[in-house]
Amino acid sequence: MILEVKNLQKIYTTPFSKKPPMEAVKDISFQIKPGEVYALLGPNGAGKSTTIKMIAGLIHPTSGKILLGGKELGKDVSVYKSLSAVLEGTRNVYWRMNPLENLHYFANLRGVSSKIVSEKADKLLTELEIDAKKKNQSQHLSRGMLQKLALGVALITDPKIILLDEPTLGLDVSSSRKIKEKIKYLTKEEGRSILLTTHQLDLVEEIADRVGIIRAGKLVVEGTLTELKSVFKTSIYRAKLRGVWKPDKKIISKFSIKIRNEQQGLTEIDLDAKSKKGSFEFLDYINKSSLELVSFSKLEEDLEEIFLRVLETK
């Protein structure tokens, strides 16, 4: 494993206050393999950013261990050279420096010589498509370019693991696509590992290898998308009916039915048939009624639905 988080906990206390301690992170454990994108999901205030900041060394955990390549972060300072982070927002670079100066400055802080930076900088800026702006003050760059520059600053030190907090939030389609392509290349071609936090579930479905869902400071479920879809497999169908939709009480009590749309003699519904047998029973009911079945299909479970179900049931 490249990164191991073991029983991580963070409790905030307020000195000289009667307020009880606030446990932001509660006994979280997970692992990230080489070349893997691990997405940590959860609602606002769940503890995602606190977890990221503890791994990055910005916040000291109350208890627990963080291991990178088998070495414990916090005890062995040299281990941090293998880790970089891009936190949410655009405060990952100095605005009065140009992109080239930012790469040199942050790399020098991490012990990387200017000679090595000079050898890597032009290629990296070209790959990120900001080479044309490398001598412009960063404050004049667009949000998308600033985000790509922040990723460049993280990569210039050649880290084994990269922490990305909302890397594509607020970006245009082109900039977002470029960052997604870069993430895929870093993991699949270069074998780097990425811990991703985001609210953009389409991004997670596209690039994540495994997903962990955190709620109220606890990791409540984790696995690949296929595994999560299997765990939360449902029998929800979407039907389009022609005619007057007036279901009897027996059907309403037997199935969970949600009307999606009614117009021009057509009714579209979502039906929780509970099982495959239930879907046949519903079709038999429609066949015996005056309604015409226009379409009937099973809905595939997506990550958003899984996410909502986890928050409702755990």
Side-chain angles (χ1 to χ4, degrees):
M1 298 297 169
I2 189 69
L3 177 71
E4 295 180 78
V5 173
K6 296 183 176 182
N7 308 114
L8 202 61
Q9 181 191 43
K10 180 60 182 178
I11 299 175
Y12 289 101
T13 58
T14 305
F16 312 111
S17 173
K18 295 182 180 180
K19 291 183 179 180
M22 193 272 285
E23 193 174 15
V25 173
K26 306 173 183 178
D27 196 32
I28 285 181
S29 298
F30 60 87
Q31 300 175 334
I32 303 179
K33 304 171 186 176
E36 180 179 54
V37 177
Y38 185 98
L40 191 62
L41 307 180
N44 291 330
K48 303 186 303 298
S49 293
T50 301
T51 300
I52 284 270
K53 289 175 181 177
M54 282 192 284
I55 295 172
L58 299 176
I59 296 175
H60 292 295
T62 303
S63 63
K65 293 182 179 180
I66 303 167
L67 304 175
L68 182 58
K71 297 181 180 179
E72 187 173 351
L73 294 179
K75 291 188 177 180
D76 188 342
V77 179
S78 65
V79 179
Y80 283 105
K81 292 182 178 180
S82 299
L83 183 149
S84 287
V86 179
L87 302 181
E88 183 182 354
T90 54
R91 296 184 180 180
N92 296 286
V93 300
Y94 275 125
W95 283 26
R96 293 191 179 276
M97 290 182 181
N98 63 42
L100 200 55
E101 290 168 340
N102 268 288
L103 293 184
H104 277 274
Y105 177 74
F106 284 102
N108 291 165
L109 286 179
R110 302 283 296 277
V112 179
S113 70
S114 292
K115 180 183 177 182
I116 294 176
V117 177
S118 297
E119 292 171 354
K120 295 180 177 181
D122 285 340
K123 181 183 177 182
L124 183 57
L125 293 176
T126 299
E127 289 175 353
L128 294 171
E129 297 182 348
I130 51 177
D131 54 307
K133 304 287 186 180
K134 64 183 180 182
K135 293 187 178 180
N136 291 38
Q137 272 195 346
S138 296
Q139 63 182 325
H140 300 306
L141 300 181
S142 67
R143 175 168 183 148
M145 285 190 172
L146 283 171
Q147 194 71 345
K148 287 189 283 187
L149 175 57
L151 183 57
V153 166
L155 293 175
I156 197 66
T157 58
D158 198 27
K160 292 180 180 178
I161 184 163
I162 307 162
L163 314 178
L164 298 178
D165 192 4
E166 297 287 2
T168 59
L169 183 65
L171 301 188
D172 58 43
V173 174
S174 177
S175 296
S176 179
R177 184 185 299 117
K178 190 64 185 178
I179 286 181
K180 284 189 284 187
E181 290 172 354
K182 188 64 177 178
I183 291 172
K184 290 178 182 178
Y185 181 82
L186 290 170
T187 53
K188 306 312 174 190
E189 301 299 325
E190 297 187 353
R192 302 178 198 268
S193 303
I194 289 178
L195 174 58
L196 169 72
T197 64
T198 182
H199 287 97
Q200 296 175 286
L201 300 185
D202 57 332
L203 172 64
V204 175
E205 288 201 277
E206 187 172 345
I207 68 173
D209 297 295
R210 286 191 302 133
V211 175
I213 300 179
I214 185 173
R215 178 187 179 190
K218 291 183 178 180
L219 189 67
V220 291
V221 65
E222 73 169 350
T224 65
L225 291 176
T226 301
E227 289 169 343
L228 293 183
K229 287 179 180 180
S230 176
V231 171
F232 292 93
K233 188 176 181 180
T234 62
S235 296
I236 298 178
Y237 294 80
R238 183 162 295 167
K240 185 176 287 187
L241 309 168
R242 180 176 282 114
V244 180
W245 169 248
K246 290 183 179 180
D248 56 40
K249 292 182 180 179
K250 181 180 177 181
I251 288 295
I252 293 175
S253 62
K254 190 173 184 64
F255 305 112
S256 176
I257 297 173
K258 177 183 178 182
I259 297 176
R260 290 179 53 83
N261 191 26
E262 287 183 294
Q263 60 178 0
Q264 298 178 346
L266 290 175
T267 302
E268 188 176 51
I269 65 170
D270 281 352
L271 163 82
D272 187 350
K274 312 298 181 183
S275 65
K276 188 175 181 180
K277 181 181 177 182
S279 67
F280 290 138
E281 290 180 15
F282 178 77
L283 290 173
D284 185 56
Y285 164 77
I286 296 298
N287 187 47
K288 293 175 181 178
S289 72
S290 59
L291 294 165
E292 177 188 349
L293 184 65
V294 177
S295 64
F296 187 73
S297 60
K298 187 174 182 179
L299 296 184
E300 289 295 325
E301 204 73 71
D302 60 19
L303 183 57
E304 181 177 4
E305 184 66 27
I306 291 171
F307 180 73
L308 293 173
R309 284 178 180 272
V310 168
L311 297 185
E312 289 171 359
T313 60
K314 293 289 180 177

